[in-house]
Every structure is written in structure tokens, then in C-alpha cells.
Amino acid sequence: MIIGIPREIKAEENRVCMTPAGVEVMVKNGHEVLVEKSAGAGSGFTDDAYTRSGAKIVDTPKQIYAGADMVMHVKEPLPPEYDLIREGQIVFTYLHLAADEPQTRALIKSKAVCIAYETIQKADGSLPLLTPMSEVAGRMAIQEGAKFLEMAQGGRGILLGGVPGVEPATVVVIGGGVVGFNAAKMACGLGAKVYLLDMNLDRLRYLSDVMPANCFTLMSSPATIRTLVKKADVVIGAVLIPGAKAPRLVTRDMLKTMKKGSVLVDVAIDQGGCFETSKATTHGDPTFVIDGVVHYCVANMPGAVAKTSTLALTNATLPYALQIANQGWKGAMQANEEIKLGANVINGKVTYKAVAEAFGLVYTPVGKLLN
Ligand SMILES: NC(=O)c1ccc[n+]([C@@H]2O[C@H](COP(=O)([O-])OP(=O)(O)OC[C@H]3O[C@@H](n4cnc5c(N)ncnc54)[C@H](O)[C@@H]3O)[C@@H](O)[C@H]2O)c1
């Protein structure tokens, strides 16, 4: 199979969907890889590194779409790319179609085979191609919280871990899933006093087992959140209710009771945010202040650490991409239920129920297209 790696064109996106090491694996398996000039530059991978791994460098996205059997990406295809996608071509990337009708209609029109990273799902319900980005965002949330606690950044001037003889900061993490676990782990490692909240008692039991002694697990409730935010130096929003907007857990009234110069990091901002006062910000202008509380609400946090994020993402995507390349999309979906769940739009038909429902389109189970 010929695999195409275009340069990302979405604003502030520095990741690339395959590293030179991934290209080498593809080539060793008998595939050809076309890489658009400078596709890896934002993540620190040169065209030379790709060439040494066996890729062919091409100048334009047009050449990628014209030549490849499978085009991979990080972000969804954007309007300038819609007409380049060919019938029967595999498009393998984050699509997030249920929130994007124009793209859904463009992919239906293309008659391509569109497989979404975010709906590939393991038997235990976990989402293996979303997990690495949640790990990055969770760990980064503490880094950002620590930075914006500094006085020059508008913060209270508190060192997260304290020093001998001086109390550490108090960090409240709301949501103990992948983001929350990783955030709490980082905060604990730095020596902060950490409260980790979730609604799921089994999850709290697990977290209580594995987290260090400076992490206190608590059942999440409005009353607990109201009490904790008063003493917090940093609050991390890390909740997710699948398929729904994030609940507004820290209200404007609670904000008024918080310490001036404390920091809210709303990682759940991509689902609308879990603080009433959150609104999405960018890496260029990441924070704003309300009632003296610094808000950090960047919707694509992993983009700021593009190299780590690229490596983490490609570690997770490569085995799936390789299986699709080796067996073809039908063979891969017949052999691997996880990849089958990634099927969103195939040959003009919507094969993912939530996407069909979002826009009142006909849903066709992918099984019907596999013979
Ligand atoms: N901003 C970014 O760059 C970025 C990057 C990655 C993930 N995210 C977002 O971060 C959020 C969390 O992702 P995740 O991978 O950790 O999800 P997850 O499903 O692993 O964890 C979510 C957790 O929230 C808990 N929860 C639900 N309601 C709660 C409540 N009222 N109080 C406390 N806990 C509650 C759930 O029980 C679950 O354990 C999602 O919205 C995700 O889209 C954002």
C-alpha cells in the first residue's frame, strides 16, 4: 500500500501523524510512504530523517492525495483538502464528525473510507487513540498550573511543592480518569497536597490503591467541590461524561470564594469546560482572569508539546495503521473489532451511529459493507 503523510494545516498544529521510525516500520513491511515537504518540521523531524527511513518527499498535499492509498493525518481534513480526497481512498485520522456537519457531508461525497482515531475502541470501552493525548494534557495541566502560580504570570507566588519548613500548594483535581490520574500523579510527584475527585466509587478505590500518600481521593459532589475550591491553589477540570457537554462544576459563586491568584486549568474545555466562567483560549493567549482567579482553558493542550505528543500519538496509531496497510481496510476490520469501530463514513455511507444521528442521516452498519 502507498501511505501518504501530509503536513498539518490546522492553526497551531505542530504534530505530524507518523515519525521517521514509523515510516521505517511501514517500509520494512513492504509499503511505500509519501511525506509532504516539512511535514515533520513542527515536531523536530527533518525531511532528511524521513528520506533515510525510506520515505519519498513530495512538494504538495495534492501529490499526497493523488498518490496514496491511505492518507493519515493528525487533525481532520480541512475544506481545501475535501476535493483532493479520492473515491476508495482510506483516510485515517481524528475526525470528530458528530460536531462537524460540513466535513461529514464532504466525506460522504468523497466516497472514501474514513476511519476515525477517536472511535477506535477496545473491548473494555477504552479509547486507545485518545488516551495518549489525555495523558499529555493531564501531565501538562500541572506544569501550566505551576507556571501560572508564579507572580509574574498573575499567580499567588506559590511553589507547588513548597520547601522544607514551608507548606506545599493544594491541588484539587476534579475527575479521576486518564487526564485526572496523570495530573494528580504529576502534582503528587512535585510534592503538592492533592485532592482527587471522581463520581465512580470503583475508580476511587483503584486510585486510592495506586496513588501516593499525598493524594486524597474523594467522592465528587457540589458540597465537596464548594469546600475544596476555597483552599485550592490550583484546580484542574478533568471530567468527561461520554457524549455530553461537560457539567459546570465550579460555579461563579464558588469562584468568588477562591484565593486571589489561584489557578484554574480547565482541560475539559474541549467539551465546553467544567467551570462556569471558562471560555476556550489559545496557546498564544492562554489565560484570562475573573474575580482574581487565573483561568487556563486551552482546547488543544498537546499541541504545545508537539514532539512528545507526536511520539505518544504515533506509538498508539502505528499498530492500527500497519494492520490496515497489511490487510486492507476490509481485512483489518474483519480481523480487528477495534478498527471496525473506527469506521465512520465508507463509500458514501455513514457507518457510525452517533454521526448519523447527529445530522439525521441514514446509518449503515459497517458489517454490511465488509463482504
Ligand atoms: N484540552 C485538551 O487539550 C484536552 C486533551 C485531552 C483530553 N481533554 C479532555 O479532558 C477531559 C477528560 O478526559 P479523560 O480522557 O480523562 O476522560 P476519562 O473518561 O478517562 O475520565 C473522565 C472522568 O470524569 C469522571 N467524572 C464524570 N463526572 C464527574 C463529576 N461530576 N465529578 C468528578 N468526576 C466526574 C468520570 O467518572 C471519569 O473517571 C475530556 O473532556 C477530554 O476531552 C482535553
Side-chain angles (χ1 to χ4, degrees), residues 110-362:
S110 73
K111 297 211 160 94
V113 174
C114 308
I115 308 174
Y117 288 169
E118 72 275 5
T119 66
I120 288 193
Q121 193 169 15
K122 287 181 180 278
D124 64 4
S126 63
L127 302 165
L129 302 190
L130 279 182
T131 300
M133 293 305 101
S134 286
E135 289 167 341
V136 169
R139 291 179 180 219
M140 202 178 140
I142 296 304
Q143 215 166 286
E144 297 304 314
K147 180 164 83 197
F148 288 104
L149 269 182
E150 291 173 15
M151 300 207 90
Q153 308 287 342
R156 306 189 59 222
I158 297 268
L159 186 63
L160 218 53
V163 286
V166 180
E167 254 196 328
T170 297
V171 176
V172 176
V173 181
I174 312 177
V178 181
V179 168
F181 170 76
N182 279 279
K185 204 168 153 179
M186 287 299 110
C188 287
L190 286 170
K193 182 170 189 188
V194 179
Y195 294 94
L196 178 54
L197 279 58
D198 205 285
M199 301 273 282
N200 176 334
L201 198 50
D202 288 334
R203 181 68 183 170
L204 286 172
R205 284 197 182 98
Y206 167 76
L207 292 168
S208 162
D209 256 1
V210 299
M211 295 305 282
N214 53 336
C215 180
F216 303 89
T217 56
L218 286 172
M219 177 57 80
S220 180
S221 71
T224 307
I225 294 172
R226 198 178 308 118
T227 308
L228 284 178
V229 295
K230 284 183 203 156
K231 55 179 170 182
D233 297 297
V234 177
V235 181
I236 309 290
V239 302
L240 178 66
I241 299 177
K245 275 187 80 171
R248 296 293 169 108
L249 300 173
V250 175
T251 63
R252 182 73 197 254
D253 284 347
M254 292 183 198
L255 194 76
K256 289 188 172 50
T257 69
M258 289 183 67
K259 293 186 269 193
K260 303 294 168 217
S262 53
V263 181
L264 296 179
V265 179
D266 199 345
V267 186
I269 189 68
D270 61 338
Q271 304 297 327
C274 57
F275 309 135
E276 190 178 346
T277 41
S278 292
K279 60 177 173 22
T281 58
T282 61
H283 290 297
D285 190 9
T287 59
F288 57 93
V289 179
I290 298 181
D291 291 342
V293 177
V294 181
H295 293 56
Y296 174 101
C297 304
V298 175
N300 63 331
M301 294 174 66
V305 288
K307 190 154 192 180
T308 300
S309 298
T310 289
L311 292 167
L313 180 64
T314 57
N315 282 344
T317 54
L318 188 66
Y320 295 103
L322 186 62
Q323 187 167 7
I324 296 168
N326 284 347
Q327 301 184 317
W329 67 270
K330 282 189 182 176
M333 286 186 193
Q334 275 155 351
N336 188 340
E337 194 64 28
E338 297 171 22
I339 297 178
K340 197 169 154 190
L341 288 167
N344 272 235
V345 175
I346 293 187
N347 193 20
K349 303 207 169 4
V350 180
T351 51
Y352 200 78
K353 207 168 188 179
V355 175
E357 282 170 2
F359 308 119
L361 297 165
V362 174

Side-chain angles (χ1 to χ4, degrees), residues 93-110:
T93 184
Y94 288 122
L95 293 172
H96 295 290
L97 291 181
D100 188 347
E101 186 165 359
Q103 190 204 164
T104 304
R105 295 202 181 269
L107 295 182
I108 291 171
K109 187 167 158 234
S110 73

